[in-house]
Amino acid sequence: MSELHSYVKKMKYLVIHHNQTTTLYSSLREIARDIQVDASTISKNLKNNDSCYCCSKNTNLLSYIRKI
């Protein structure tokens, strides 16, 4: 198995940040740390949907999160 295949297999979330850059994440905790939104809030928003928008109360920046 190639390194790229292993990497992609571990990634579970795609985040499009306020500045239109994208990042892949393997956990909600990583996302929470980067966008400054509590992991439980993200989890609740993704519970019934494959995607959501989250806005940080600290920075007031919007991020789009999608399960992959």
Side-chain angles (χ1 to χ4, degrees):
M1 192 180 305
S2 72
E3 287 183 41
L4 178 60
H5 188 268
S6 297
Y7 173 77
V8 171
K9 194 172 182 178
K10 284 191 278 185
M11 297 299 113
K12 297 179 182 171
Y13 304 96
L14 168 76
V15 176
I16 302 176
H17 302 279
H18 67 280
N19 59 1
Q20 299 178 357
T21 60
T22 59
T23 310
L24 295 173
Y25 293 92
S26 60
S27 73
L28 292 177
R29 288 184 183 179
E30 290 176 16
I31 298 170
R33 185 174 39 248
D34 282 357
I35 69 170
Q36 298 181 13
V37 174
D38 194 63
S40 64
T41 301
I42 299 169
S43 178
K44 287 177 193 174
N45 288 336
L46 290 173
K47 186 175 183 179
N48 295 322
N49 299 309
D50 287 338
S51 64
C52 69
Y53 289 92
C54 290
C55 186
S56 169
K57 289 182 182 177
N58 297 336
T59 63
N60 205 33
L61 298 174
L62 188 66
S63 297
Y64 174 77
I65 303 167
R66 179 158 186 90
K67 290 182 196 177
I68 53 174

